[in-house]
Amino acid sequence: MMLRPGSAMMIHVNGLGYAPQNLARVVVWEWLNEHGRWRPYSAAVCHHIENVLKGDSRGTVVLGQVEPQLAPYIIDLQSMHQFRQDTGTMRPAQRNFYEPSSAPGKGVVWEWENDSGSWTPYDMEICVTIQNAYEKQHPWLDLTSLGFCYLIDFNSMTQTNRQSQRKRRLRRRMDLAYPLTTGSIPKSQSWPVGTSSGQPCSCQQCILVNSTRAASNAILASQRRKVYTGANGAPGTLTLVRQSNTFAGTTLWSPTSSVSSGSAKPEQVQSPATGTTYPRVPALPAPTLASGQNNLNRPGPQRSALVSTRGSIPPGVPALPVKNLTGSGPVHPALAAGMTGILMCAAGLPVCLTRAPKPILHPPPINKSDMKPVSGVNGTCRKTKKKHLKKGKNPEDVVKRYMEKVKMVPDEDCTICMERLTTSSGYEGVLSHKGIKSDLVGKLSKCGHIYHLLCLVAMYNNGNKDGSLQCPTCKAIYGEKTGTQPPGKMEFHVIPHCLPGYPEFKTIRIVYDIPAGIQGTEHPNPGKKFSARGFPRHCYLPDLEKGRKVLKLLIVAWDRRLIFTIGTSNTTGESDTVVWNEIHHKTEFGSNLTGHGYPDPKYLSNVLAELSAQGVTEEGLKD
């Protein structure tokens, strides 16, 4: 097989899922965020993971041993999950492979400047694309074929938004090269997304993303089986497209090469299994490809618009509208659209996905006199201030409060430092606390899991230091867990309109408002400004008994500063901004186009489970 230098790997599989024995590939470990994007770990972390993998393929990797800011995170190699010990958040992880001559093999990192002035790296596949164009000395790179409305200018090192004409600085920096591996290389090693324990989110937005991605992959696979020719049967302009060999089905930069009639032949590919030679299959012209790709999850600050009119779709290509997503059938319409696209592609028919209707985010205008208090809930507003909640005592006292003595120490690993419990903690020499010896072991009183006390102190110091503790194994919470939500206001009232799926009930509207400000000591960058985009944010619940119960628990979560936090936005890539914190909210009032609306019969039960995972339960309402 002919591989493009600098591109990611695409392997012909012989039925066993392995490539030829003599291939050398660069290994990049990645984690899946809630928007379906695989985000790469740094090269240093990947080297550490590979070293642990060589010793124990079913072991656990402690990321904090390489990068201190990743201290709360571990990777379970057996289930291929990343686990955050202080919040209990689990995300799928995967082991991906690239050419040694590509960007990760050379230690090249491409980044764009966000609104706060810091630098955000591109996803690895996009980084590979940019580096490929840079090495070929292209003056610029048009990302339209990727579904982006951006133009990258290598001379001025800027990224320009074609719609707004806004420019952002771009930079290329050198870092440690990613680890190299040889021999039998699987296509990818990742947790099978789609199982109940592997999905990053159970909301319908993920169904929409995954089904559309599946349709996109099928479309590209179908296009590879066709040869695009120009007028009179002569070969025309060929656009070579590579499909990702991982779960994320995005397509990278597609360099074009003009082939004159009679002077050159299309690029050839030989099948290792049969020896048969096939032409390198081109994709459809760039405008068609951009309109048919999955634009729901794209790296960078802004997605390009989908095709809005039939006029931009090439003749003879049927359009598959992604619409009427609020239907009540047994199969979610977005999933049905993806399945239909796959079946049409299997029959050799190219498909273009047309633009979905706009979501209905807000109800009709409401007079203030029509807004009523929620029955059974005191007041209509809650405010939080800086350091609203009392902090715990010193770390040693907090840990000892929830621990019991162990008479017989078992000869097994401490899952925090991965050292044997019968030996000293892995944090010996790194962390020193009076009254706690490095070999002191105890068990948590409720769940009975055993750890080095020094390891629990280290884990506590990396959290919010609020007097609570969470077991890194079973996620049981000890004490009252609080978060790092910035100061703000939460309002709630009943409005005289009904939500889809609840025609007999009025609606509870929640309005969150958090202003921009300065980060405190509990935040990622103390003393630095943080932004607050999209506020006030409106959320909706049905005004029935279960909906009012959810509201009461959300008020408790708000008081404990658990609804929002400060971090990096998975939507825009902006850092030091206010983001949601693992508790899903419904932000669409009259539709469910993004998966964050109604009808959703499982939502109230799901959000109760998410609140419980944060330690917010009905027992807290009695206090």
Side-chain angles (χ1 to χ4, degrees):
M1 173 176 286
M2 299 179 66
L3 291 170
R4 185 185 311 282
S7 65
M9 177 180 63
M10 182 173 66
I11 303 176
H12 176 86
V13 182
N14 59 8
L16 299 176
Y18 289 90
Q21 295 283 338
N22 58 349
L23 287 179
R25 293 292 179 261
V26 173
V27 179
V28 177
W29 282 82
E30 300 167 316
W31 58 277
L32 185 69
N33 67 19
E34 60 266 36
H35 292 272
R37 287 167 47 195
W38 289 103
R39 298 293 295 160
Y41 294 100
S42 69
V45 170
C46 290
H47 277 280
H48 177 57
I49 299 174
E50 286 293 302
N51 290 335
V52 175
L53 183 66
K54 292 176 183 178
D56 184 4
S57 62
R58 295 178 175 268
T60 303
V61 184
V62 183
L63 302 185
Q65 294 178 350
V66 181
E67 294 186 0
Q69 65 270 27
L70 298 182
Y73 296 94
I74 63 173
I75 293 179
D76 178 22
L77 295 176
Q78 184 172 3
S79 67
M80 293 295 283
H81 268 86
Q82 171 191 277
F83 174 60
R84 180 167 178 166
Q85 300 174 85
D86 56 347
T87 64
T89 305
M90 296 182 68
R91 300 194 185 279
Q94 77 169 9
R95 186 173 183 242
N96 206 356
F97 304 93
Y98 294 86
E99 287 287 322
S101 59
S102 64
K106 298 178 178 179
V108 176
V109 180
W110 285 89
E111 299 171 320
W112 55 276
E113 187 178 30
N114 57 40
D115 291 340
S116 64
S118 56
W119 294 91
T120 301
Y122 289 93
D123 289 355
M124 186 54 71
E125 290 196 345
I126 303 301
C127 178
V128 169
T129 303
I130 297 174
Q131 178 64 18
N132 188 33
Y134 178 82
E135 290 179 349
K136 293 179 182 297
Q137 298 183 351
H138 290 284
W140 48 268
L141 174 63
D142 189 353
L143 299 182
T144 302
S145 61
L146 295 172
F148 294 102
C149 52
Y150 291 104
L151 185 70
I152 291 179
D153 188 333
F154 290 111
N155 294 323
S156 61
M157 291 297 283
T158 57
Q159 170 187 279
T160 304
N161 187 316
R162 285 180 171 271
Q163 294 179 350
S164 66
Q165 297 302 310
R166 180 179 181 182
K167 291 188 177 182
R168 294 179 183 271
R169 287 197 300 163
L170 190 75
R171 77 174 183 181
R172 175 182 182 268
R173 66 177 179 85
M174 299 302 298
D175 201 345
L176 179 69
Y178 280 78
L180 191 69
T181 186
T182 57
S184 297
I185 304 174
K187 291 177 66 181
S188 65
Q189 295 177 354
S190 63
W191 187 252
V193 176
T195 61
S196 58
S197 61
Q199 283 186 319
C201 173
S202 60
C203 69
Q204 295 178 354
Q205 182 181 14
C206 292
I207 299 176
L208 174 64
V209 170
N210 296 341
S211 63
T212 309
R213 181 181 294 117
S216 178
N217 271 345
I219 292 168
L220 294 174
S222 175
Q223 291 167 356
R224 285 194 190 84
R225 294 193 294 270
K226 302 179 182 293
V227 179
Y228 174 77
T229 57
N232 303 321
T237 299
L238 300 182
T239 304
L240 304 180
V241 178
R242 186 197 65 82
Q243 181 184 5
S244 171
N245 64 307
T246 64
F247 170 75
T250 55
T251 305
L252 299 187
W253 173 68
S254 306
T256 60
S257 56
S258 297
V259 184
S260 59
S261 176
S263 62
K265 296 181 178 180
E267 189 177 355
Q268 303 290 312
V269 178
Q270 188 174 25
S271 168
T274 63
T276 306
T277 300
Y278 301 98
R280 167 74 75 177
V281 181
L284 294 178
T288 304
L289 181 61
S291 67
Q293 283 187 331
N294 168 26
N295 291 306
L296 296 175
N297 293 299
R298 290 296 183 186
Q302 184 176 343
R303 306 183 186 100
S304 66
L306 291 169
V307 176
S308 59
T309 62
R310 289 295 301 267
S312 59
I313 300 176
V317 179
L320 180 63
V322 182
K323 61 183 180 180
N324 300 327
L325 299 184
T326 56
S328 57
V331 179
H332 190 277
L335 179 59
M339 294 169 63
T340 304
I342 294 173
L343 294 175
M344 293 179 70
C345 289
L349 296 173
V351 178
C352 288
L353 299 180
T354 60
R355 178 182 293 187
K358 293 183 179 180
I360 303 173
L361 300 179
H362 303 291
I366 303 167
N367 294 325
K368 194 170 183 180
S369 59
D370 293 330
M371 302 177 190
K372 304 298 181 183
V374 181
S375 177
V377 179
N378 295 327
T380 59
C381 180
R382 299 297 286 264
K383 294 182 179 180
T384 55
K385 298 180 180 179
K386 194 172 183 181
K387 297 183 179 179
H388 176 74
L389 298 170
K390 295 181 180 179
K391 296 295 179 181
K393 298 181 181 179
N394 63 67
E396 297 91 335
D397 292 340
V398 172
V399 170
K400 290 180 178 178
R401 184 189 309 164
Y402 306 120
M403 300 296 291
E404 295 178 354
K405 293 183 179 180
V406 178
K407 294 181 180 179
M408 295 293 295
V409 178
D411 187 19
E412 58 187 40
D413 287 342
C414 169
T415 56
I416 298 178
C417 70
M418 300 311 298
E419 299 291 343
R420 306 298 287 182
L421 289 169
T422 52
T423 63
S424 297
S425 165
Y427 286 93
E428 182 182 18
V430 178
L431 201 63
S432 178
H433 281 268
K434 296 180 180 179
I436 295 185
K437 297 180 180 179
S438 60
D439 59 351
L440 195 59
V441 172
K443 70 175 181 179
L444 291 169
S445 57
K446 287 195 295 185
C447 62
H449 289 112
I450 303 175
Y451 307 96
H452 292 113
L453 265 66
L454 192 59
C455 292
L456 287 174
V457 170
M459 187 184 75
Y460 179 83
N461 282 333
N462 283 310
N464 198 28
K465 302 178 185 177
D466 57 359
S468 70
L469 199 66
Q470 186 167 20
C471 175
T473 300
C474 67
K475 297 179 282 184
I477 296 175
Y478 295 79
E480 183 179 288
K481 179 181 177 180
T482 62
T484 59
Q485 178 179 288
K489 181 172 66 173
M490 173 188 185
E491 296 180 277
F492 38 88
H493 47 254
V494 175
I495 58 176
H497 297 286
C498 59
L499 294 165
Y502 298 94
E504 300 178 358
F505 301 94
K506 295 181 180 180
T507 299
I508 299 172
R509 179 167 63 182
I510 305 170
V511 182
Y512 296 111
D513 196 6
I514 296 178
I518 304 297
Q519 299 183 50
T521 56
E522 72 273 28
H523 295 135
N525 298 296
K528 188 176 181 180
K529 291 182 179 180
F530 69 86
S531 61
R533 311 291 183 190
F535 287 94
R537 300 187 185 183
H538 293 226
C539 309
Y540 304 95
L541 293 167
D543 186 23
L544 45 74
E545 183 178 355
K546 197 171 185 179
R548 291 189 288 270
K549 176 182 175 182
V550 170
L551 173 63
K552 293 177 183 178
L553 293 175
L554 287 175
I555 293 173
V556 174
W558 172 267
D559 289 341
R560 296 182 185 177
R561 303 172 67 194
L562 294 170
I563 302 293
F564 296 95
T565 187
I566 294 178
T568 300
S569 170
N570 288 305
T571 304
T572 66
E574 181 183 8
S575 59
D576 298 306
T577 190
V578 179
V579 295
W580 293 103
N581 187 36
E582 308 297 338
I583 300 176
H584 280 74
H585 284 66
K586 293 295 187 181
T587 54
E588 283 186 69
F589 173 78
S591 59
N592 195 17
L593 301 183
T594 65
H596 295 302
Y598 295 93
D600 186 351
K602 296 183 179 180
Y603 169 68
L604 296 179
S605 298
N606 289 343
V607 75
L608 286 173
E610 291 174 345
L611 286 162
S612 179
Q614 299 288 340
V616 181
T617 61
E618 289 185 78
E619 287 73 14
L621 298 178
K622 299 176 183 179
D623 298 337

